[in-house]
Amino acid sequence: MIKKATGEYLVNSTLNTQSKTSAAILGFLLLIGLSVLGLSLKQAIIEYKLLDRSVTVKGLAENEYPADVVIWPIQYTAASNKLEDLYAQVDKQNVLINDFLIKNSISTDEISISAPTITDKLAQQYGGNQTVEFRYTALQTITVYSTDIDKVRAAMPTLSQLGKQGIVFSQNNYDAQIEYIFTRLNEIKPQMIEQSTNNARLVAEKFATDSQSQLGKIKRASQGQFSISNRDKNNPHIKRVRVVSTIEYYLAD
């Protein structure tokens, strides 16, 4: 009986020892697993914070280009007391201006003549007793539309020669202002966007260097609106084209 009891005691002791060992191993493995999981979560949080760091910069691109279309309204006035004489005068002066433009290498398909605006000054007096020298006046506009800027600009200063032939030009009317237009914006857009992006990256790289960081990839970018303006008031035929791009870059240590 004593032997049997001793045998059972040894068996139970052995089982208890094995259970404790298994529990210890399981606990150790669980501890290792939790440690690895903790390190992974910590690394993920660090990486997330690194991805969250960024810098936003602006890049400017500004270039000058010649205009490629010119609109030149030539406006003059005529006056007479007889309506038929007024129209005859307008027709004569139209011919003089048209011949002048053709002599300056401006083709007929670049010239358009609008109908004159006739004003009856007596009809505008509303019963007044004012006297006028000429009852009828005409405002006539001849427009030059050309893509040859240099040719048209060369002809402009010599237009005053027609003043010696009795043509009275209207130079200060708002409707008679010369326009220079730049139509090739779509052609230069890719080049200017690349230029503004490169300028933005230079600024971002300088910021990253100063903050002891490394510049990463683009996080987001937005292209500003293109603007076209005259270089200055004396050179409206030269256009300044401008665009600003806003770019956000990732930063990393």
Side-chain angles (χ1 to χ4, degrees):
M1 294 298 292
I2 295 175
K3 291 182 179 180
K4 183 178 180 181
T6 303
E8 290 179 353
Y9 174 78
L10 291 173
V11 171
N12 291 335
S13 178
T14 301
L15 291 175
N16 290 336
T17 302
Q18 290 178 349
S19 298
K20 291 180 180 179
T21 303
S22 299
I25 294 173
L26 181 62
F28 179 73
L29 293 176
L30 181 61
L31 179 63
I32 293 176
L34 291 175
S35 299
V36 172
L37 179 61
L39 290 174
S40 299
L41 290 174
K42 181 180 179 180
Q43 183 65 26
I45 293 173
I46 293 174
E47 290 179 356
Y48 174 78
K49 289 184 177 180
L50 289 176
L51 290 175
D52 193 50
R53 293 181 57 200
S54 62
V55 57
T56 302
V57 294
K58 294 182 181 294
L60 169 67
E62 190 175 59
N63 296 318
E64 293 181 356
Y65 300 94
D68 46 75
V69 172
V70 58
I71 302 175
W72 179 23
I74 303 172
Q75 201 169 76
Y76 70 88
T77 59
S80 178
N81 284 317
K82 293 184 178 181
L83 196 57
E84 59 272 19
D85 291 344
L86 180 63
Y87 276 105
Q89 184 180 345
V90 169
D91 290 341
K92 178 181 178 181
Q93 293 182 351
N94 284 348
V95 172
L96 290 175
I97 295 174
N98 190 74
D99 291 344
F100 164 82
L101 295 174
I102 292 175
K103 288 180 181 178
N104 282 272
S105 302
I106 298 175
S107 60
T108 55
D109 59 348
E110 296 175 316
I111 305 170
S112 61
I113 302 176
S114 61
T117 301
I118 306 298
T119 302
D120 185 349
K121 291 186 177 181
L122 291 181
Q124 293 182 342
Q125 289 185 6
Y126 302 104
N129 295 322
Q130 296 179 357
T131 58
V132 293
E133 183 178 359
F134 298 104
R135 176 177 176 177
Y136 301 104
T137 59
L139 180 65
Q140 176 68 73
T141 303
I142 298 176
T143 304
V144 176
Y145 184 99
S146 177
T147 57
D148 193 333
I149 306 293
D150 295 335
K151 175 182 65 178
V152 176
R153 283 179 56 82
M156 288 178 181
T158 61
L159 181 65
S160 59
Q161 297 175 1
L162 295 179
K164 299 176 183 179
Q165 301 184 43
I167 301 180
V168 182
F169 293 102
S170 301
Q171 301 291 344
N172 298 323
N173 287 353
Y174 178 80
D175 294 336
Q177 299 298 313
I178 301 170
E179 294 183 63
Y180 294 95
I181 303 173
F182 180 75
T183 64
R184 296 182 293 107
L185 182 59
N186 287 336
E187 297 180 15
I188 66 171
K189 270 186 177 181
Q191 171 191 349
M192 292 197 64
I193 292 174
E194 179 182 1
Q195 182 181 348
S196 65
T197 302
N198 290 338
N199 290 339
R201 186 170 186 86
L202 290 175
V203 176
E205 287 175 345
K206 180 64 168 61
F207 181 89
T209 301
D210 293 343
S211 62
Q212 297 181 349
S213 302
Q214 292 182 351
L215 193 65
K217 297 181 179 180
I218 293 177
K219 183 177 182 180
R220 65 173 60 90
S222 63
Q223 172 198 313
Q225 185 176 1
F226 279 83
S227 64
I228 303 175
S229 60
N230 299 335
R231 188 180 71 179
D232 54 70
K233 64 180 181 180
N234 296 319
N235 295 280
H237 62 291
I238 300 177
K239 300 298 181 180
R240 177 177 286 120
V241 184
R242 188 175 186 271
V243 66
V244 177
S245 295
T246 303
I247 303 176
E248 185 177 2
Y249 290 94
Y250 286 109
L251 288 177
D253 291 333

